[in-house]
Amino acid sequence: MAGYTFVKFDLDKTLETMQKADVRYLCIKDFHLPLKSNEDEIAAFHAKLASKGVKGYAVGPIYMRSEAEIDNAFQYAKRVGVNMIVGVPDYELLPYVEKKVKEYGFHYAIHLHGPDMPLYPDADDVWNNVKNLDPRIGICLDIGHDTRNGKNPVKDLKKYHSRVFDIHIKDVTGTTKAGYSVEIGRGVIDIPAFVKMLRKVGYTGVCSLEHERNMDDPFMGIAESIGYFRGVIAATQK
Amino acid sequence: MAGYTFVKFDLDKTLETMQKADVRYLCIKDFHLPLKSNEDEIAAFHAKLASKGVKGYAVGPIYMRSEAEIDNAFQYAKRVGVNMIVGVPDYELLPYVEKKVKEYGFHYAIHLHGPDMPLYPDADDVWNNVKNLDPRIGICLDIGHDTRNGKNPVKDLKKYHSRVFDIHIKDVTGTTKAGYSVEIGRGVIDIPAFVKMLRKVGYTGVCSLEHERNMDDPFMGIAESIGYFRGVIAATQK
């Protein structure tokens, strides 16, 4: 589960909802665990997650607009005890990100955000910016935003899977900026084809639901989306 | 959607939930529309459903322990304007049910209820009791209860599809009376195989979710189950 799904809810409600939907992995957002958290606060956070059967598998997305913010994010990830950061660094900071990746040994997945922002609109853009950097710098493939930028996430997964380290699953109503997030299965993304491609390329990372509809009352939408994705997984097993 | 899912909720909450899950067909239970309802009350009921994009496609399950109760149920179904009753008649009343089916031209789907009740534990039992009756008397195949009676609903759908007029979808944790209802996908029923069999036999009826878990707070479970079933449908399309 992408933490952003619960931008309007505290950690307790987040974990209650994840437990109801039987989801076990959380990408940790700063509004649930601030970047300035100390080791005691982080230990308490992990203990609370563990009490609900949930594990934090990465942090982010974290926007990084300076070397100091990059330093801060890597130190935070190390304190949190994960080895992957989902990040959005300004383009000119990529060489500094690479330096930090080599220093920490972390994976760094750049979140793409469709036509809404100038930074990293789609998987092509991330790929072109990272292909010559350390192979631990790659993509958090947001299949909704990729689609909203006119791209095909199934094809992009096939092309770029060697650098896809995290995936945000969702569905959207269209292939342009006007397309908006809906429950998985109600939009235009070919989820069965995407799941088949996950198997074909041997993806071993997490698929995190980033649910961005009815964010004041997202609970049934979250459950429907999780159910749909699981149904597709079950039905495409050999 | 099987109305029983909302045994603890009024019609407004039922319709709100169906709308959120984008479910359009309701099997009407008596606690939402009593059997004694007059034509004005029935018209108001249909208007309320229509305002939420929902259509009542059948009534029941209705237990029928006497000829008078059968008369009452058929008159009710006629007033409601549906042509299918999901019913549970005492065995010795089946000839009277047949008489009424011929008189009204309705389909009559007998709900099976697993090992909890002596009446109609599984699809074999319904089939054996109706196979020599009018072909409009058949089965409401509850795939959970069939499983809980040690039977395989995929095989039973294949064997008995000519008399399967309605289906209650759900999942259960085991193949005995100890098995209990869970969100679709979390139990032991092979949902992909079931959906494939629906296609193979050319089933044209409704698959109604009868959700029987956390009935005080079933909403996320309903959505997850609906999502899962839709995901399987999408992934098994040719």
Side-chain angles (χ1 to χ4, degrees):
Chain A
M1 187 75 76
Y4 183 69
T5 298
F6 297 100
V7 64
K8 299 196 175 181
F9 297 95
D10 65 14
L11 185 63
D12 287 330
K13 189 68 180 175
T14 298
L15 295 174
E16 176 198 322
T17 305
M18 289 181 68
Q19 200 169 31
K20 279 186 180 177
D22 198 23
V23 174
R24 315 281 177 87
Y25 293 90
L26 176 67
C27 190
I28 301 162
K29 274 295 284 182
D30 52 358
F31 49 73
H32 288 148
L33 184 67
L35 268 74
K36 62 176 173 39
S37 304
N38 63 34
E39 292 190 3
D40 287 346
E41 290 160 340
I42 289 168
F45 177 89
H46 284 312
K48 189 179 242 186
L49 263 59
S51 75
K52 302 293 181 180
V54 171
K55 184 174 168 58
Y57 75 94
V59 293
I62 302 174
Y63 287 79
M64 303 179 196
R65 299 173 193 85
S66 67
E67 292 190 1
E69 286 186 358
I70 294 171
D71 289 344
N72 202 22
F74 275 81
Q75 288 159 12
Y76 168 70
K78 188 174 183 184
R79 287 201 307 283
V80 174
V82 296
N83 57 19
M84 182 162 67
I85 297 172
V86 181
V88 188
D90 284 353
Y91 288 117
E92 64 272 22
L93 292 168
L94 282 168
Y96 192 74
V97 169
E98 183 178 39
K99 185 179 163 209
K100 287 289 161 178
V101 162
K102 290 183 191 301
E103 184 182 332
Y104 283 82
F106 291 169
H107 280 71
Y108 190 99
I110 297 179
H111 185 252
L112 57 95
H113 213 285
D116 303 335
M117 288 177 25
L119 280 171
Y120 310 107
D122 57 33
D124 289 336
D125 183 72
V126 181
W127 175 263
N128 288 330
N129 277 286
V130 306
K131 62 185 177 187
N132 296 320
L133 301 177
D134 187 289
R136 289 166 293 191
I137 305 179
I139 307 171
C140 170
L141 178 58
D142 185 308
I143 67 174
H145 290 311
D146 203 46
T147 300
R148 291 177 63 247
N149 212 46
K151 302 302 170 74
N152 181 331
V154 181
K155 289 181 180 170
D156 286 347
L157 177 62
K158 185 178 182 183
K159 274 194 284 189
Y160 303 137
H161 66 89
S162 64
R163 296 233 186 183
V164 173
F165 305 143
D166 196 26
I167 295 177
H168 284 178
I169 56 170
K170 59 181 62 168
D171 209 343
V172 292
T173 58
T175 59
T176 67
K177 187 172 178 175
Y180 58 89
S181 258
V182 288
E183 295 81 358
I184 295 181
R186 298 201 202 184
V188 300
I189 300 178
D190 186 342
I191 302 295
F194 189 76
V195 170
K196 286 174 189 166
M197 188 57 71
L198 287 170
R199 292 187 202 286
K200 190 169 176 183
V201 303
Y203 179 67
T204 58
V206 171
C207 288
S208 265
L209 176 67
E210 191 178 58
H211 187 75
E212 297 179 281
R213 189 185 202 193
N214 298 329
M215 295 190 84
D216 290 322
D217 181 14
F219 307 106
M220 282 185 65
I222 290 168
E224 183 182 326
S225 294
I226 293 288
Y228 190 98
F229 204 74
R230 286 188 183 137
V232 171
I233 289 169
T236 54
Q237 270 166 350
K238 299 290 179 191
Chain B
M1 187 76 75
Y4 183 69
T5 298
F6 297 100
V7 64
K8 299 197 173 179
F9 297 95
D10 65 16
L11 186 63
D12 287 330
K13 189 68 180 173
T14 298
L15 294 174
E16 176 198 321
T17 305
M18 288 181 67
Q19 201 169 31
K20 280 186 180 177
D22 197 23
V23 174
R24 315 282 177 88
Y25 294 91
L26 176 66
C27 191
I28 301 162
K29 274 295 286 184
D30 53 358
F31 49 74
H32 288 150
L33 184 67
L35 268 76
K36 63 177 172 36
S37 303
N38 63 34
E39 292 191 1
D40 287 345
E41 290 160 340
I42 288 169
F45 177 89
H46 285 313
K48 187 178 246 188
L49 263 60
S51 75
K52 302 293 181 181
V54 171
K55 185 174 166 59
Y57 75 94
V59 293
I62 302 173
Y63 287 80
M64 304 180 195
R65 298 173 194 85
S66 67
E67 292 190 0
E69 287 185 0
I70 293 171
D71 289 344
N72 201 22
F74 275 80
Q75 287 159 14
Y76 168 70
K78 187 174 184 184
R79 285 200 309 281
V80 173
V82 295
N83 56 19
M84 181 162 68
I85 297 172
V86 181
V88 188
D90 284 353
Y91 288 116
E92 64 271 22
L93 292 168
L94 282 168
Y96 193 74
V97 168
E98 183 179 38
K99 185 179 165 211
K100 288 287 160 179
V101 163
K102 289 182 191 301
E103 183 181 331
Y104 282 82
F106 290 169
H107 279 70
Y108 190 100
I110 297 178
H111 185 252
L112 58 94
H113 213 286
D116 303 334
M117 290 176 26
L119 279 172
Y120 310 107
D122 57 33
D124 289 335
D125 184 72
V126 180
W127 175 264
N128 288 329
N129 278 286
V130 306
K131 63 185 176 187
N132 296 319
L133 302 177
D134 187 288
R136 290 167 293 191
I137 306 179
I139 306 172
C140 170
L141 178 57
D142 185 307
I143 67 175
H145 290 312
D146 203 45
T147 299
R148 292 176 64 245
N149 212 48
K151 302 303 171 72
N152 181 330
V154 181
K155 289 182 180 170
D156 285 347
L157 176 62
K158 185 177 182 183
K159 274 195 283 189
Y160 303 136
H161 67 88
S162 64
R163 296 235 186 181
V164 173
F165 305 141
D166 195 27
I167 295 177
H168 284 178
I169 57 171
K170 59 182 63 169
D171 208 343
V172 292
T173 58
T175 59
T176 66
K177 187 171 179 175
Y180 59 87
S181 258
V182 288
E183 295 81 358
I184 294 181
R186 298 201 202 184
V188 300
I189 300 178
D190 186 343
I191 302 295
F194 188 75
V195 169
K196 287 173 190 167
M197 188 57 70
L198 287 171
R199 292 188 202 286
K200 190 169 176 183
V201 303
Y203 179 68
T204 58
V206 172
C207 288
S208 267
L209 175 67
E210 191 178 58
H211 187 74
E212 297 179 282
R213 189 185 201 195
N214 299 329
M215 294 190 83
D216 290 323
D217 181 15
F219 307 106
M220 282 186 62
I222 289 168
E224 182 182 327
S225 294
I226 293 289
Y228 190 97
F229 203 74
R230 285 188 183 139
V232 171
I233 288 169
T236 54
Q237 270 166 350
K238 300 290 180 192

